[in-house]
Amino acid sequence: MPMAERQTPDIRIFVSCHKAFPVPEGGLLYPVHVGAALAGQRLEGYIRDDSGENISRQNRRYCEMTGQYWAWKNADADYYGFFHYRRYLYPDTRCRRPYIIRSEPSKALLERLGYGTFAGLIGQYQLIAPIGEDMHVSVREHYGAAPFHRAKDLALAERIVARRYPEYAEAMERYLSGTVCYWGNIYIMDRETFFDYCGWLFPILREFDETADLSGYNTQELRVDGYLAERLFGVYYTKRRASLACLELPRVHFEPDTGRRVKQQVINALLPPGSGLRARVKKLVMERNK
């Protein structure tokens, strides 16, 4: 049904899961079993990404993007959102920290985080992105230095974008040479923006698949299409944000294990995400471990 004929917009936030994990029922959240075509066990009550037109069998390379492809080709909504089973956006417009850490996404916790009014906030924007996190090194350099990433893959993706979409060249250079990253393939878009984004993104990844040499890649390195999509979202957002009604919201990371959660919270209190101090300490640790 067209949005103009609905009393309230149909908002669907798809939560990508590769295993069973608590996703509160009702409301805006729709759990999706990503890579379902490759799984030996069915997750009861989850949408499967291997129905209709899909790329579910490419999940080892595309990661959560197989769920987004499924939604693009098969789901009918006014707004499309994408979270991970352990990473959501939450509607605190006053919080400027990139993310916080909590236990697990229970209904009670989500209510405390403001999910009861989230639909009204979503309806005011065309694109909601995660708050950018300053890594204090260029996006391009960060990609090449990250575990299981190879700089040549991003370089190939850059060449594909420059050739297919020359109008994106300036925004791509500005984003990749900057230091602020938009992590997670996590966002919410209205229908028009989401279809435009997917129509731009997936042909880039398809050409990358047809062109790239992934000889000798291990299992983690083969997740390359998901890694690239994460950076390509930043390119798209940099190009389109001036022409769209946009909002950035913090992420909430869920860690059910109390010991690990407290440890992460202490580290974040001492070394706030996005801070120069955190970047310097991380650099020192990496150099020491070489």
Side-chain angles (χ1 to χ4, degrees):
M1 183 185 298
M3 182 174 174
E5 299 178 16
R6 296 173 175 144
Q7 291 185 342
T8 57
D10 184 1
I11 300 171
R12 302 191 183 195
I13 298 177
F14 299 98
V15 182
S16 297
C17 306
H18 68 273
K19 63 181 180 180
F21 195 82
V23 178
E25 295 181 359
L28 309 178
L29 303 178
Y30 294 77
V32 180
H33 185 184
V34 295
L38 303 174
Q41 183 177 3
R42 175 181 290 270
L43 299 182
E44 295 299 329
Y46 288 58
I47 297 168
R48 294 174 60 91
D49 73 349
D50 62 348
S51 64
E53 185 175 349
N54 69 85
I55 57 171
S56 181
R57 289 195 172 277
Q58 298 184 55
N59 179 261
R60 292 191 178 97
R61 286 179 55 161
Y62 277 73
C63 309
E64 66 277 353
M65 300 308 295
T66 60
Q68 295 192 27
Y69 187 95
W70 179 90
W72 176 36
K73 295 297 184 180
N74 299 283
D76 179 25
D78 299 315
Y79 289 86
Y80 296 76
F82 298 93
F83 295 169
H84 295 183
Y85 69 106
R86 291 175 64 172
R87 294 181 180 88
Y88 291 10
L89 295 177
Y90 75 100
D92 186 345
T93 57
R94 299 166 300 175
C95 177
R96 303 320 300 162
R97 289 178 290 172
Y99 66 92
I100 62 172
I101 300 171
R102 295 295 183 267
S103 56
E104 63 179 33
S106 66
K107 280 188 175 182
L109 174 60
L110 295 186
E111 283 297 318
R112 290 198 299 273
L113 291 175
Y115 274 74
T117 60
F118 206 174
L121 183 65
I122 292 169
Q124 299 176 46
Y125 296 93
Q126 294 167 283
L127 192 161
I128 300 177
I131 289 176
E133 186 171 350
D134 193 343
M135 307 308 292
H136 299 271
V137 64
S138 76
V139 176
R140 186 181 289 110
E141 185 179 348
H142 187 274
Y143 186 95
F148 310 114
H149 293 51
R150 298 198 185 188
K152 70 181 182 67
D153 296 329
L154 182 58
L156 175 56
E158 287 188 64
R159 294 194 295 273
I160 294 170
V161 172
R163 183 180 55 77
R164 294 184 70 108
Y165 306 105
E167 68 275 19
Y168 276 80
E170 187 275 332
M172 180 169 63
E173 180 58 34
R174 181 155 41 100
Y175 177 65
L176 295 178
S177 295
T179 63
V180 175
C181 293
Y182 300 96
W183 293 120
N185 290 319
I186 296 172
Y187 27 69
I188 302 168
M189 304 180 191
D190 69 4
R191 182 184 183 88
E192 182 178 355
T193 306
F194 176 60
F195 274 62
D196 181 71
Y197 175 58
C198 289
W200 176 84
L201 173 69
F202 284 104
I204 297 170
L205 296 178
R206 187 181 308 116
E207 183 170 341
F208 174 85
D209 294 341
E210 295 168 351
T211 309
D213 179 7
L214 306 184
S215 301
Y217 280 41
N218 63 34
T219 301
Q220 289 295 323
E221 290 170 324
L222 283 174
R223 297 163 64 92
V224 60
D225 291 271
Y227 298 150
L228 290 174
E230 199 169 23
R231 277 62 175 197
L232 289 169
F233 170 75
V235 173
Y236 182 86
Y237 182 52
T238 300
K239 171 68 174 175
R240 296 297 315 280
R241 64 189 301 178
S243 61
L244 298 172
C246 296
L247 176 69
E248 293 184 14
L249 290 176
R251 309 186 306 270
V252 52
H253 293 191
F254 300 111
E255 177 47 75
D257 183 272
T258 301
R260 286 197 293 264
R261 183 173 66 253
V262 171
K263 180 179 178 180
Q264 292 172 12
Q265 289 172 331
V266 170
I267 291 173
N268 284 359
L270 297 173
L271 305 171
S275 68
L277 178 59
R278 187 185 184 98
R280 290 192 295 273
V281 170
K282 184 176 180 180
K283 183 178 180 180
L284 289 172
V285 171
M286 291 177 64
E287 290 176 349
R288 181 177 297 175
N289 292 336
K290 283 183 178 179

